[in-house]
Every structure is written in C-alpha cells, then in structure tokens.
Amino acid sequence: MTTESTGASGRTAIAEPVVDTEDGPFRGTDDGVVKVWKGIPYAAAPVGELRWRAPEPPQPWRDVADARRVGPVCPQPTDPRIPLDLGGVQGEDSLRLNVWTPSGAGDRKPVMVWVHGGAYVIGSANQPLYHGKALASGGDVVVVTVNYRLGAFGFLDLSAFTTPRIRFDTNPGLRDVLAALQWVHNNIAAFGGDPARVTLFGESAGGGIVTTLMTSPLAQGLFSAAIAQSSPATSVYSAERGRRTAEQFLDRVGVSPADAHRLVAAPLPAVIAASKRLFDEVPVRTPGTLAFAPIVDGDLVPDLPIKVARAGGSLPVPLIIGTNKHEAALFRWMKSPLMPITPQAISSMFAEIAAEQPGLQIPSEADLVDAYSGLRGKARGMGVARDIGFRMPSVWFAEGHSAVAPVYLYRFDFATPMLRLLRLGAAHATELPYVWGNLVAGSKDPTFKLGGLKAGTAVSQRMRGRWTRFAASGEPGGAPPWHPYRADDRATLVIDGEDTVVDDLDGELRRAWGDEILSFR
C-alpha cells in the first residue's frame, strides 16, 4: 500500500509506502529511486531485566508506525580520534534496523544484511556511510542495516553471575544479530526481498560477527551467503577470559559479584564509563586482545570459529572474505593500542600466546624475518600486526571453509593520492565507501582532494557489482574472472585501479605463520 503527501503548491511530493510486518504496519518513504523504512524495531527495548538478556520480540501494534526517521543507536563511548557521525541519538531502545529497496516493480530480490564494525564498542547502522540507496538501486537488491548492542551491553559475559533472582545471557550482541536475521526471514518478503537469498555481510567487528555466526548451529538457515571484510576472526575468547573481564567490569562500576543483579539498574553513564576504561586498558595490558568480543559459550558459539572452520564445521554457504593491504596504518595514525605495532607490544603478545598454550608452535623470529624481508622498524611491526589481526585469520578461515562451500578471497589495495600522502594507503575500513557507493562524505572529506575520484568511482562500480551479483547467485563474476579459492591455486582477487587475480598471494605468509597459532585464543 502506498500513500502520497501533497505540498502547499498542490504538487505531489514524496510517496509514503506502508508495509505490513508480523509486528504491525510501518510507513516509509519513496523518492522514486528507493523505498526506505528506518528505525524498525526487530526486538523489544533491552532495558531493565532485559539489559543483558537475549532479545525478546517487540510488542505487536495495529496502528501504522512511523518509519521515516532513524531510531536510537546503542549507547557507546565517544573518542575524539574517531569522529563518527552515528546518524542518530544514543539510547537503549536501539534494537532497530533500516531497509532500502529499489522503487521499481518486482519482488523476491536478493537481500543484503549489514553488520557494522567498530571494535565491538562503537558504530551504528545509521551512519551516513551505510545509507543503502546506491547499493540497493545499483544492484537491484534489498539492503538491511542492523543496530546491535555494543561494548558491555553486547559483549560482556555476565553469565557466571546468574542467580535465581536474575539471569544473564551469553553474547547478547550476537543474539541481537540472530534476532534481526530471524526478523528478515519472517518479514523481508513484504519489502520485496527473497528470504531464501539473504547475504550476511559486515566489516571489522561486523566481519567478526559474520565469521562467528558462520560457525554457529543457531544461525543455520538464516542466511544463504556471507561476506566478511577485515574480520578479526581470532578475536573470540574463552569463557574463562570472559569471566575475568566481567569481574574487572564489576570492579570498575563499583558492584560486587554477589550484587551483580544491581547492574540491570546501573546508571547509563556509569556503564559507559566502565566500558571505556576496560576498552582502553585491556589492549595495553594484554596486546592483541580486546575488552569486548564474542565468547565461546558452547551454545551460540560452540568453539573458536577458526577451529570449527578448519574442522569443516562451518555453515555450507558461499563466502567472500578478505582484508586491506595496509590494515594497521589506521591504528598507527590514530595512535590506538588496539593493534600491537611496536616490537615490545608484539613480543608481549607472543609471550602471552606461549603462556596460554604451552607447546604451541609459534613462528620463530627467523621465520618472520624471511616473511617480512624489506620491512624495517615500525613497518615490520605493522605488517606483523596486520597479519595476525586480520590477514592470517581470514586466510585460515578461507582454507577451512573452502572444503564445505565456495570461498572467494580478496585483498583491497586501492588508495587515493591523499591517503598515500597521509601514509594510510589501503588502511583498515578504507574499502567501505566503495562497497556502499558513498564516496565523498561531505565537503570536509579529504579522500579525493588530490584526485582519484574517477578511478575510485570505477573501483566502487566493480566492487558493488561483484558484491551484489554474489548476493543474487552465490558467484561474484566480473572481469577478470574471480575463481573460488582452492588448494591447487588459492586464487586471490587484488582490488586496485585495475583488478587482478593472483595465485597463492599469501603463500609466503602461510608458510611463515603455519597453522597452529590460529587457535591460540
């Protein structure tokens, strides 16, 4: 059903389509290119006793709800080094999603469900970068962007403190994404989407959620393909580590373990402040680790995702997976401790790995010298950090998953003259504007100030074409042909001003790092 509003001049303005869902009807907008519905609740507000619980369905309604404006985003700390435009106000009633679908006729379109990144603590589905108009209209797909709980709200494992008085569930943030996928399965046909063709895609922490859910039996049947961009696939921790972090959080917020039930009423500023302290402290104290990340709970997350994939236990869906050439450059530029770049931090990380898993074969210094020949000082540290944080986990996951379903491995190398001048290059997250087709983020965006927009536009068209064709058919296509990753050639697409396909691009790194270190978490 569609209605239209009329301006003072009497001319028809923007259309306002109404769509019925299982929970109730929503009014959106239609500008003639895409129809958009924003701020749709896919779960009840996680407040009070639901604060650290698995999401519950929203209460149904009968009147038409307004979905013309975005909803709240998960409360989170702010960081002046990362001036994110969250695209909405912060609030705990944040389990909302946004939908874009082409205005033209036709239904049963491929669906792409986006999980944003942000180290599991920051970010939003409402960010202008993730506006889905270009992706939806250019690829004839339905685009869904999902808000989920972050930081302590989504990735603090308080389950050890469950009592008859209060229950805490494991991995609330992951369970949010599962609930959103279930909502898509139940409702997306009403928006013109095909519930049998759902591609789950995400970047950074969002990519980590993708690779984690690919090894979860609870995600079976909820998506038919996946794309993991810069996934920190090994940043999934044991229940023991999760409990230690939870105890530290309780200490920071001033609540004893015996009184953990008080957290459901803890003031929001206190929760955010404690989250920020832990987020800052943990990677300094234990380099290479995050304060908040998915936890192996034996249920939603049965084991470390890389171990499950290497054992052939991942969900048998086609996968695009890859990283950027200069992932660590962003963290150096921000002076962030999230990645161990200095020799001291790297040594500390390897010492921790050895302490946690005695007998584990860790690459020798000679092995790494050979693999990173030509790199000196911080450049070598950035290479090691990039590869243990992002590249090797993605390669390890590809190696395992290729035994159960087609895998398409890529590396994103494209960088504008300005990003090269800033010594960022193809840094972490720099592929995002090209995937979304939102290349210039306002007049102050320096990315293309020294040129490169024409080449960048071509890169974006090729990437969006491959991503949306993959969502439609499970094959990315394009030129040059991008073949699945197999043991005989390990084909890898290098995305640059001109795309190329290289056999075994990571061969030297694979041999240097080996396979055993993949399970150190």
Side-chain angles (χ1 to χ4, degrees):
M1 177 172 64
T2 300
T3 61
E4 294 178 328
S5 61
T6 303
S9 65
R11 292 181 299 178
T12 299
I14 202 163
E16 297 183 335
V18 174
V19 66
D20 287 316
T21 72
E22 289 187 339
D23 304 311
F26 290 97
R27 186 186 310 281
T29 60
D30 183 353
D31 65 3
V33 179
V34 290
K35 301 174 186 178
V36 186
W37 292 265
K38 298 177 179 178
I40 296 177
Y42 64 86
V47 296
E49 292 193 357
L50 294 182
R51 196 181 235 182
W52 275 282
R53 295 272 293 276
E56 297 283 347
Q59 288 294 320
W61 58 90
R62 297 176 62 184
D63 295 333
V64 177
D66 187 359
R68 295 172 296 178
R69 300 173 183 84
V70 296
V73 304
C74 183
Q76 58 194 267
T78 57
D79 188 333
R81 297 169 300 180
I82 313 173
L84 286 182
D85 179 357
L86 295 176
V89 299
Q90 298 187 29
E92 287 193 74
D93 186 10
S94 61
L95 300 187
R96 311 290 187 104
L97 52 78
N98 310 306
V99 181
W100 286 262
T101 187
S103 296
D107 55 12
R108 313 296 285 189
K109 298 180 186 298
V111 182
M112 301 183 71
V113 178
W114 176 251
V115 188
H116 69 80
Y120 297 106
V121 294
I122 59 174
S124 156
N126 303 344
Q127 292 173 232
L129 175 59
Y130 306 137
H131 285 188
K133 183 173 183 176
L135 188 60
S137 61
D140 198 32
V141 297
V142 176
V143 174
V144 181
T145 63
V146 176
N147 279 312
Y148 56 97
R149 280 173 282 183
L150 302 168
F153 296 109
F155 297 94
L156 183 70
D157 185 10
L158 294 165
S159 61
F161 305 105
T162 290
T163 68
R165 185 172 184 177
I166 188 69
R167 189 181 91 226
F168 296 106
D169 290 324
T170 58
N171 293 305
L174 289 181
R175 295 182 190 276
D176 292 343
V177 177
L178 275 184
L181 286 167
Q182 187 65 59
W183 183 95
V184 168
H185 180 79
N186 295 345
N187 294 287
I188 206 64
F191 296 82
D194 184 352
R197 287 191 295 168
V198 174
T199 296
L200 180 65
F201 74 132
E203 181 267 347
S204 195
I209 289 174
V210 171
T211 49
T212 300
L213 291 183
M214 284 186 67
T215 62
S216 173
L218 300 187
Q220 180 75 48
L222 292 179
F223 55 93
S224 57
I227 302 173
Q229 301 168 206
S230 301
S231 168
T234 49
S235 292
V236 177
Y237 304 136
S238 67
E240 180 185 354
R241 185 192 289 267
R243 179 180 177 129
R244 291 201 305 267
T245 302
E247 290 170 344
Q248 293 164 15
F249 176 83
L250 289 169
D251 178 68
R252 302 299 188 278
V253 84
V255 173
S256 71
D259 293 328
H261 62 273
R262 291 173 47 201
L263 286 176
V264 301
L268 193 58
V271 176
I272 296 297
S275 296
K276 180 66 164 59
R277 285 185 63 186
L278 274 186
F279 177 69
D280 290 340
E281 292 170 3
V282 167
V284 173
R285 187 167 58 243
T286 53
T289 62
L290 302 172
F292 305 106
I295 296 297
V296 174
D297 58 10
D299 171 30
L300 175 56
V301 186
D303 205 339
L304 297 171
I306 296 256
K307 289 178 68 176
V308 174
R310 296 284 287 193
S314 47
L315 302 180
V317 300
L319 170 67
I320 289 176
I321 188 167
T323 64
N324 296 354
K325 186 177 182 179
H326 306 111
E327 293 278 2
L330 177 67
F331 301 93
R332 179 200 61 191
W333 186 69
M334 294 190 310
K335 297 181 172 60
S336 168
L338 288 180
M339 294 193 75
I341 292 171
T342 66
Q344 181 180 3
I346 291 171
S347 296
S348 177
M349 177 185 66
F350 278 102
E352 182 197 2
I353 294 170
E356 285 198 1
Q357 299 213 18
L360 188 68
Q361 287 297 117
I362 299 176
S364 69
E365 186 175 350
D367 290 332
L368 296 183
V369 166
D370 289 341
Y372 297 95
S373 59
L375 298 179
R376 297 290 182 271
K378 285 188 177 180
R380 178 176 294 175
M382 288 171 60
V384 172
R386 170 199 66 200
D387 294 334
I388 198 167
F390 296 104
R391 188 63 188 177
M392 291 315 301
S394 293
V395 170
W396 289 326
F397 201 97
E399 292 270 328
H401 190 67
S402 63
V404 300
V407 173
Y408 299 89
L409 182 66
Y410 75 87
R411 192 181 73 190
F412 182 83
D413 286 17
F414 182 76
T416 65
M418 176 61 82
L419 292 186
R420 292 195 296 269
L421 180 67
L422 294 173
R423 294 195 303 150
L424 284 166
H428 188 66
T430 57
E431 90 286 4
L432 290 172
Y434 305 96
V435 169
W436 287 90
N438 301 321
L439 295 186
V440 181
S443 59
K444 294 183 179 180
D445 183 356
T447 305
F448 296 99
K449 293 297 186 183
L450 296 180
L453 184 57
K454 182 178 179 180
T457 300
V459 170
S460 178
Q461 289 172 342
R462 292 198 304 274
M463 286 193 77
R464 283 183 287 135
R466 292 189 193 269
W467 266 225
T468 55
R469 280 192 298 271
F470 178 76
S473 67
E475 297 179 359
W482 186 6
H483 304 297
Y485 186 89
R486 295 184 293 258
D488 58 347
D489 60 8
R490 293 183 167 89
T492 305
L493 178 72
V494 177
I495 301 171
D496 208 333
E498 297 290 336
D499 292 349
T500 56
V501 175
V502 179
D503 288 349
D504 204 7
L505 178 69
D506 304 289
E508 190 172 10
L509 292 177
R510 283 190 306 101
R511 290 184 287 273
W513 285 100
D515 290 337
E516 289 190 73
I517 198 173
L518 61 89
S519 61
F520 75 86
R521 300 299 186 191

